[in-house]
Amino acid sequence: MILIKNAKILTMAERDLEKGDILMGDGKIQRIGENIAAPAGAEIIDASGLTAMPGIVDAHCHIGMWEDSIDEEGADGNECTDPVTPELRAIDAINPVDRCFQEAREGGVTTVVTGPGSANVIGGQFAALKTYGACVDEMVIKAPAALKMALGENPKGVYGGEQKKAPMTRMASAALIREALVEAQEYAKEMESDDPPKRDLKNEILCQALRGELLVKIHAHRADDIFTAIRLAKEFNLRLSLEHCTDGYLIAPYVKESGAKVIIGPLLCDRCKPELKNLSWNAPRVLYENGVEFAMMSDHPVQPTQLLQVTAAMAVKYGLPGREALKAITINAAKAVCLEDRIGSLEEGKDADIVLYSGDPLDVRSNIAHVFIDGKQVR
């Protein structure tokens, strides 16, 4: 067991502690409080002057899918041969020894939700995993964690632009998603008949989404694409997460009304394509002011995942309350990927994913003194 003593504790739950202790054991947080007595044999870490907070959660990235510094050989995030590929699994492409995992945990990121890119209208399955380990199967928290879909210019550019086939328009992107989901509905009916069809991996995973068992992450930057994502979710009763949601702050009341999960970003980047023309640091503040709960993503490697702390700090500079900025990369991010029962806050019974900072986590000058994942010190 490990006992952290005398830390300022930002729980991201109901109560913070100005000077408190955290007892870890069996990979979980056993106790949080003041003046906790050390069990026999426990390792004690004096955290006087340090601030403890939950490990950062990156709710949308592609870490391990586009590996660092090796170009095309490490690019395994987009299968640009078919616009509808729900059967693809991120865990079959993630390289756990990509050095970006080390950089992530050194930056306080303890959980990443990583998966296919946005070339395909249905791209495949995301996985949630811890950033420490030598084997992906041992790092996984949940796989599949979500099904990725994409609207807007990316599928159009890959297929309509390069291959001269559907989708060439936004209409075709939505139609391909509808066709796939309708086919899956028919497959589900046939599977209950006396003469079921042979197993179909594409339809199996789509049926999970249709039954509400699997979150659907829909890449949508522009307002029209956001509305299409909401429309599709209503039509098929999908559990929707709006990914990027760049124009979301411009239509915040509609985003709020939709009830969708919202993961915005990356914000620490340039406006490299037309869909990003409304990219704004004001977005987090405006969404918050309209009552929209949101997380912030890195979209690694677009923005290195370890810079999520910087993203949160910049959002504060543009008017987002500090507490809300930290929630956007901890508990809100955990909620956005349906893992709040395990990660995102420092509470008894949750995974012992803890970061100790030398100062305010929103001060980019603060150093990270210790990182724990599942109760194991990894920095």
Side-chain angles (χ1 to χ4, degrees):
M1 303 185 92
I2 299 176
L3 178 61
I4 298 172
K5 296 284 293 182
N6 306 316
K8 179 177 181 179
I9 303 174
L10 304 178
T11 65
M12 295 299 112
E14 292 182 1
R15 176 174 174 253
D16 294 337
L17 294 171
E18 194 61 35
K19 187 176 182 180
D21 307 336
I22 307 172
L23 179 64
M24 297 178 278
D26 298 323
K28 300 291 183 180
I29 297 173
Q30 301 293 333
R31 286 187 63 193
I32 296 180
E34 298 172 342
N35 302 314
I36 297 174
E43 177 186 351
I44 299 175
I45 296 176
D46 185 1
S48 298
L50 301 180
T51 299
M53 66 171 269
I56 293 172
V57 179
D58 192 345
H60 178 123
C61 66
H62 310 285
I63 192 170
M65 306 283 289
W66 274 272
E67 298 165 47
D68 186 72
S69 65
I70 61 174
D71 201 39
E72 288 301 312
E73 173 55 29
D76 289 301
N78 280 319
E79 180 62 40
C80 301
T81 57
D82 181 348
V84 179
T85 55
E87 73 278 16
L88 301 184
R89 305 190 310 169
I91 58 172
D92 295 323
I94 296 166
N95 181 2
V97 299
D98 180 357
R99 69 178 176 184
C100 291
F101 283 103
Q102 177 181 341
E103 293 175 343
R105 59 182 180 266
E106 288 176 348
V109 180
T110 56
T111 298
V112 289
V113 184
T114 184
S118 50
N120 294 349
V121 292
I122 305 180
Q125 304 161 40
F126 266 58
L129 57 153
K130 299 295 177 73
T131 55
Y132 179 79
C135 172
V136 167
D137 303 85
E138 295 173 355
M139 298 161 69
V140 165
I141 304 173
K142 185 177 182 181
L147 179 63
K148 175 70 178 296
M149 297 186 185
L151 299 170
E153 68 183 60
N154 286 12
K156 284 178 56 180
V158 170
Y159 292 96
E162 298 174 7
Q163 301 187 31
K164 304 301 181 186
K165 67 177 186 180
M168 296 185 74
T169 63
R170 282 176 163 80
M171 294 183 294
S173 292
L176 286 169
I177 291 172
R178 283 193 179 92
E179 287 173 355
L181 291 172
V182 168
E183 183 179 326
Q185 288 175 330
E186 295 301 315
Y187 174 81
K189 293 177 183 177
E190 292 171 5
M191 288 299 290
E192 296 176 355
S193 69
D194 295 332
D195 185 24
K198 67 178 182 179
R199 186 179 181 189
D200 185 300
L201 295 180
K202 288 188 175 186
N203 283 320
E204 275 188 9
I205 198 71
L206 290 171
C207 285
Q208 288 187 38
L210 287 166
R211 292 193 297 265
E213 298 168 1
L214 189 61
L215 183 70
V216 177
K217 287 175 167 284
I218 301 186
H219 164 117
H221 284 283
R222 272 183 15 179
D224 52 351
D225 294 322
I226 293 169
F227 284 128
T228 297
I230 294 170
R231 188 179 309 115
L232 288 166
K234 287 181 178 178
E235 188 175 336
F236 292 95
N237 198 28
L238 304 175
R239 290 169 58 203
L240 172 64
S241 177
L242 292 169
E243 308 293 301
H244 306 296
C245 202
T246 301
D247 284 4
Y249 73 102
L250 300 174
I251 53 170
Y254 295 95
V255 173
K256 170 71 173 176
E257 183 184 8
S258 75
K261 297 179 183 297
V262 177
I263 308 175
I264 63 171
L267 293 169
L268 200 61
C269 64
D270 65 346
R271 298 180 184 92
C272 59
K273 57 182 182 176
E275 287 179 338
L276 297 180
K277 71 176 183 178
N278 294 318
L279 183 70
S280 172
W281 281 105
N282 292 314
R285 174 184 53 79
V286 173
L287 289 172
Y288 167 71
E289 290 173 347
N290 280 271
V292 178
E293 183 175 278
F294 64 91
M296 290 190 286
M297 69 162 79
S298 74
D299 205 25
H300 180 100
V302 178
Q303 172 189 310
T305 188
Q306 65 268 26
L307 296 183
L308 271 175
Q309 175 203 13
V310 179
T311 303
M314 287 290 293
V316 173
K317 179 179 178 180
Y318 283 83
L320 183 68
R323 183 77 172 186
E324 295 302 318
L326 290 178
K327 286 170 65 176
I329 58 173
T330 55
I331 189 60
N332 286 3
K335 289 179 181 178
V337 292
C338 307
L339 291 172
E340 67 271 24
D341 60 329
R342 288 190 57 178
I343 60 174
S345 62
L346 300 182
E347 299 180 82
E348 293 176 4
K350 285 196 172 185
D351 293 2
D353 297 347
I354 303 168
V355 183
L356 290 171
Y357 290 86
S358 65
D360 184 348
L362 289 170
D363 185 341
V364 297
R365 297 169 299 178
S366 294
N367 293 316
I368 292 177
H370 303 281
V371 177
F372 299 89
I373 295 178
D374 294 329
K376 180 176 182 178
Q377 188 165 350
V378 298
R379 175 182 168 83

